[in-house]
Amino acid sequence: MRDATMNAEKMGISNRKAVFQLIRNAPDISRKRLSESTGLDPSTISRIVSSFRRQGYVKEAGVNRSESPGRSSIRLSVVKEAAVSYLISLGVEKTILGLGFLDHTIEKIAEFSTPQNFNSFLRILAEKIESHYQKYPAKSRIIALSFSLPGIIDRKNRYIYNLPHLGWTGINLREAVETSLDKMKVEILTANEAQLSLMAERYQNETMAPYKNGFYLFLSQGIGGAILSEGELYMGRSFSAGEAGHMRIDKNGAVCQCGGRGCLETLAAIEPVVKDYERKGSVLTGANTIEKFRTLITRYNQNEPLAVDELSAMQEYMVIGITNIANLLNPEFLMIGGMGYDLPEEWTTILENRVKKEALTSAGNQFKILRATMDIHDSTLLGSDLLAMDYFTEKNIR
């Protein structure tokens, strides 16, 4: 009898979470649609929704008259400030601080140059968060600090294994942040920037809906990646699955941040491409590597010979890297994101056609290359918010 009661309670919690996730991820959904999507009877849906409304998590957002002639339904949505998280998109050169809400809207608060020293970074971040927190009227609604980081992260233990371009290794992020912000009793969350960007695209980009298996290639100062396997993020035993930037392309190539030679990111990441252009030609305008790379793309679009040479070489190495990924994982798609969002639109078709020709026939058949719909900052911020609100759902929906 006790086991039956426990199983019924677990099923009830599972049903509540499923309903809440649908309201989160499909704004303006109706009770009727919730019943159809979950298979729960209308009376159960009504009870669950009523409890969410009493808790202040869900609201009625107006009338929808489009479901069937002559009948109206009430649209449901989450309450924006029912849960709030600080979002930290930490880049190699620039960090953006934002607020993320339960409805996945985002407000940018501040940005600053990322220091090379972790303690300096933590001091600046703490000052900016404390300054905002003191004035924020909904302090009790803040549930987490959610970090997007450029490297290998233990998501479970909030531990930084290695951020190679910053030289940060072996850092207990949770402990460090909690010590620095000891007055804020909130959860510390963190994940790799490529994984979060893939989460963001799956949430916002309808083109992704048909796909269950794919790869997100994150171009920045280095190259990262994230694997989608049967609709779920695959992170590997120690959370480092998808690090495509460290596949070896040229055994006699330049030394990589990882210590190896000729890794893909030494040839096709934006930092070596920008540096090689400036070594051969003129200095690119821009305050950092990202801005300089955008200048380089502008010159490429203007058919400047050296810019065309540099980006054409980058494209060749990308073909090699993506072909390896296609052969190894046999994904349905590969999405190019991060600074890949800024690459010329025609590259998507060019790369897809090249890879289909060079990959194994079975891997290239029906293989798609997609272009990200969010830039390097928007995708990591939205992904960080999704991470935070997944945590809120798991902890609070019972």
Side-chain angles (χ1 to χ4, degrees), residues 81-111:
E81 289 193 345
V84 186
S85 177
Y86 283 108
L87 313 176
I88 301 95
S89 176
L90 191 157
V92 173
E93 295 172 316
K94 183 170 76 171
T95 295
I96 297 178
L97 174 64
L99 274 185
F101 299 90
L102 185 56
D103 67 352
H104 304 310
T105 56
I106 291 165
E107 296 176 10
K108 294 179 183 177
I109 299 170
E111 61 180 64

Side-chain angles (χ1 to χ4, degrees), residues 61-220:
V63 177
N64 181 0
R65 302 185 183 278
S66 63
E67 289 192 359
S68 59
R71 300 192 64 181
S72 62
S73 60
I74 303 297
R75 301 195 306 268
L76 302 169
S77 65
V78 294
V79 176
K80 175 180 176 178
E81 289 193 345
V84 186
S85 177
Y86 283 108
L87 313 176
I88 301 95
S89 176
L90 191 157
V92 173
E93 295 172 316
K94 183 170 76 171
T95 295
I96 297 178
L97 174 64
L99 274 185
F101 299 90
L102 185 56
D103 67 352
H104 304 310
T105 56
I106 291 165
E107 296 176 10
K108 294 179 183 177
I109 299 170
E111 61 180 64
F112 56 91
S113 297
T114 305
Q116 288 292 306
N117 178 271
F118 174 75
N119 289 329
S120 298
F121 162 77
L122 199 57
R123 176 181 54 78
I124 296 170
L125 179 67
E127 288 173 356
K128 292 189 178 297
I129 290 178
E130 285 176 347
S131 175
H132 182 273
Y133 182 73
Q134 289 172 5
K135 303 171 187 174
Y136 191 62
K139 292 182 178 63
S140 63
R141 298 292 190 178
I142 295 176
I143 58 163
L145 272 66
S146 186
F147 287 78
S148 165
L149 300 179
I152 300 174
I153 314 299
D154 180 338
R155 292 174 60 154
K156 181 178 179 181
N157 295 304
R158 286 48 158 178
Y159 185 84
I160 297 174
Y161 282 123
N162 187 18
L163 305 189
H165 288 264
L166 290 167
W168 301 356
T169 59
I171 297 171
N172 187 323
L173 184 67
R174 170 185 270 159
E175 183 178 284
V177 174
E178 287 179 347
T179 299
S180 182
L181 290 163
D182 58 346
K183 294 179 182 178
M184 292 180 62
K185 306 303 179 184
V186 297
E187 186 58 73
I188 309 302
L189 304 168
T190 187
N192 168 272
E193 59 191 358
Q195 295 167 358
L196 292 174
S197 293
L198 176 55
M199 287 173 60
E201 287 287 346
R202 292 198 75 215
Y203 169 76
Q204 184 165 292
N205 184 355
E206 293 182 359
T207 304
M208 301 279 283
Y211 299 115
K212 300 282 187 177
N213 298 281
F215 194 92
Y216 187 102
L217 190 69
F218 190 95
L219 297 179
S220 62

